[in-house]
Amino acid sequence: MPTLLYLHGFDSSPGAKKAELLKTWIAENRPDIELLIPQLPFYPEQVAHFLEELMFDRIGEEIGIIGASLGGFYATWLSQCFMLPAVVINPLVHPAEYLIEYLDKPYQSRQGEVVILTHQHLDDFQVLQLPRIEAPDLIWLLAQTGDEVLPYQQAVEYYALCRQTIESGGNHSFAGFENYIPEVINFLGL
């Protein structure tokens, strides 16, 4: 059974709108696909360990990845480490730079957990940061210019050698994502 792994963004959850759209589409159109939507930890080292264990448990299986926002960062890292196809949606390209505003400040997540990002966490993001995409044919960037959270231009530049779909307008949630699901599943080879 092929597996689709969806990675949510910072302070998001398995109940995010895109995750729900995927659940519905998979149930109606491709029930043969196992959809995994884990609640990711907040800290990058924990996320990396969790994802590595997940991949090692599924060696040899057919896996595709979708990552949104910070999940796009993790999807990129996972794709390139394990040579798996990934679709990144309005991805956070440089989390160590972007999340510095949360440094050493208690932050209450939507799940009620209080988290504090430290310099060590930002260093951990830097460790996971790939200087360039080594296998660009494995990644498809979906971005909208109306993203109110992240500068889409960073993603366009970073993923320059990858397949790209850049839409005018839209938002950080990527309005109209449901229209891309069949093509995304096809790109992922599932």
Side-chain angles (χ1 to χ4, degrees), residues 42-77:
F42 272 91
Y43 302 118
E45 184 179 21
Q46 292 173 351
V47 174
H49 288 304
F50 171 79
L51 293 175
E52 285 173 339
E53 285 183 24
L54 184 66
M55 290 301 109
F56 289 133
D57 287 345
R58 293 174 176 268
I59 286 179
E61 295 182 20
E62 196 175 357
I63 300 171
I65 309 162
I66 298 174
S69 193
L70 181 57
F73 171 81
Y74 292 126
T76 300
W77 172 77

Side-chain angles (χ1 to χ4, degrees), residues 90 98 144-152 169-174:
N90 287 332
Y98 183 79
Q144 292 183 327
T145 63
D147 186 337
E148 70 283 7
V149 177
L150 300 172
Y152 79 94
N171 54 38
H172 187 61
S173 294
F174 199 91

Side-chain angles (χ1 to χ4, degrees), residues 100-120:
I100 199 162
E101 70 180 82
Y102 295 97
L103 186 65
D104 296 327
K105 298 176 188 171
Y107 177 81
Q108 183 159 358
S109 73
R110 292 181 191 176
Q111 289 74 38
E113 181 182 357
V114 176
V115 295
I116 300 175
L117 288 177
T118 66
H119 285 285
Q120 181 59 54

